[in-house]
Amino acid sequence: MALAGEFKRASPSKGDIATNLNAGEQAAKYASSGASTISVLTETRWFKGSLDDLTEARIQTTGQSYNRPAILRKDFVINKYQIIEAASCGADTILLIVAVTPADLLKELIDYARSIGMEPLVEVHAGIELDVALGAGAKVIGVNNRNLHTFQMDLSTTDVAAEELKKRDLSFNHDLAGESEKPEYSLCSLSGMSSAHDVDRYRQVGVGMCLIGESLMRAADPSAAIQALCLHPDDYASQTAQSVAGSAYTAGTKLVKVCGITNPDDALVACRSGASLIGVIFAEKSKRKVSPEQASDVVNA
């Protein structure tokens, strides 16, 4: 499974995630740990990104001992200027979102991106958006598991898209292709994943790349977090075998739980410091008792 590691300081659904991180340093950690693509949010208002972040990611991952990853500009790209701007700042490709792009403009932008050597990643969510993307000539399809209108997450959204491509007899599973064959399309899952189980779920249906951002941005050690994703199926099989052998707990596994969390800020500090679990207290006599509303705020952080 290919990995797109995302640099994302904030988001509309989660608020601030990791505003203090350096894009170049984070991108280098992703790339040296196996990410083949670095996705950089450049939208300023909601995601607190910039084109400077994009350039830093390109600079810090160029000329290293590992293969240089592709740099993806992730933004609301709606015109040709933004595409050439992305290229001039170091991007290898750009994201085009069907939900915010009329069909005729989508085709125009896809064609223009290809004219300057970019194969765009085209994002879909609902089934009708897949129709629009394919009609516009998209070859790299990214499925956003999050509904942009409600912010609700549903990991089965990618499964549905994969099944739809199969129904149409469109090849996209690179694992099943022979050496002389090349699938016509590539399918990517773009949100909601954080574990090796999530990655393997999509590997089973033919997804070629998973884009993961928030969990890596919050991780105390991004390299260890990427290793734990088990991008290679042999690694996943080995991890699963060890888990079964050790039942609920595998010797040597270190779990850290921080209990008594009362607010979102403390929850984020605990997660960024490496906590595996966080807990809240509902006991009436506890000084750190929280209400259901406070607990919900902690979970949603």
Side-chain angles (χ1 to χ4, degrees):
M1 178 72 72
L3 171 68
E6 184 160 88
F7 184 81
K8 177 170 63 175
R9 289 196 171 91
S11 76
S13 60
K14 296 293 187 178
D16 288 353
I17 296 172
T19 57
N20 59 320
L21 294 183
N22 177 276
E25 293 176 0
Q26 191 78 352
K29 291 177 182 178
Y30 291 169
S32 64
S33 302
S36 57
T37 300
I38 306 297
S39 171
V40 182
L41 269 297
T42 60
E43 195 276 334
T44 57
R45 180 180 180 184
W46 300 107
F47 295 93
K48 299 186 178 180
S50 70
L51 286 167
D52 287 341
D53 288 339
L54 184 78
T55 302
E56 279 299 310
R58 174 62 182 262
I59 291 173
Q60 293 299 320
T61 57
T62 299
Q64 305 299 327
S65 57
Y66 47 79
N67 292 331
R68 184 180 75 77
I71 305 296
L72 165 69
R73 180 185 186 180
K74 202 174 181 194
D75 205 326
F76 299 105
V77 176
I78 56 173
N79 56 55
K80 295 177 181 178
Y81 176 82
Q82 289 175 290
I83 296 176
I84 199 68
E85 179 183 53
S88 69
C89 291
D92 296 288
T93 186
I94 41 95
L95 177 73
L96 298 175
I97 305 173
V98 171
V100 300
T101 315
D104 55 346
L105 177 59
L106 179 65
K107 184 178 188 318
E108 183 180 339
L109 295 180
I110 290 174
D111 291 343
Y112 180 73
R114 287 176 178 154
S115 75
I116 62 170
M118 285 185 174
E119 183 60 50
L121 172 63
V122 180
E123 177 184 309
V124 303
H125 176 74
I128 192 171
E129 293 178 3
L130 179 60
D131 293 334
V132 173
L134 293 173
K139 295 297 183 183
V140 182
I141 308 291
V143 182
N144 192 344
N145 294 311
R146 188 187 299 279
N147 186 312
L148 294 179
H149 302 289
T150 65
F151 293 141
Q152 290 185 328
M153 185 73 70
D154 183 357
L155 294 183
S156 69
T157 307
T158 296
D159 299 326
V160 172
E163 185 61 30
E164 185 59 33
L165 290 175
K166 289 178 183 177
K167 287 180 181 177
R168 301 184 187 200
D169 237 6
L170 301 178
S171 61
F172 63 91
N173 191 332
H174 291 254
D175 287 338
L176 297 180
E179 292 184 5
S180 61
E181 303 173 355
K182 184 177 181 181
E184 188 177 2
Y185 298 90
S186 291
L187 184 63
C188 314
S189 190
L190 302 185
S191 54
M193 297 144 288
S194 61
S195 71
H197 299 297
D198 294 333
V199 170
D200 189 66
R201 168 197 182 133
Y202 290 136
R203 178 163 42 228
Q204 297 306 315
V205 298
V207 170
M209 183 181 81
C210 288
L211 186 149
I212 301 178
E214 183 183 342
S215 62
L216 296 182
M217 290 293 288
R218 295 188 189 278
D221 185 347
S223 297
I226 290 174
Q227 184 177 5
L229 292 173
C230 298
L231 299 175
H232 195 284
D234 290 348
D235 293 334
Y236 182 74
S238 176
Q239 182 195 76
T240 303
Q242 290 176 8
S243 297
V244 171
S247 188
Y249 176 76
T250 301
T253 301
K254 296 179 177 64
L255 298 177
V256 177
K257 178 182 179 182
V258 178
C259 201
I261 297 293
T262 60
N263 60 75
D265 289 339
D266 288 348
L268 293 176
V269 169
C271 291
R272 289 168 182 160
S273 299
S276 309
L277 304 165
I278 59 173
V280 294
I281 298 173
F282 294 106
E284 289 294 338
K285 295 183 179 180
S286 174
K287 293 181 179 180
R288 303 191 70 79
K289 174 183 177 293
V290 297
S291 67
E293 291 75 18
Q294 288 175 300
S296 180
D297 288 342
V298 168
V299 172
N300 291 330

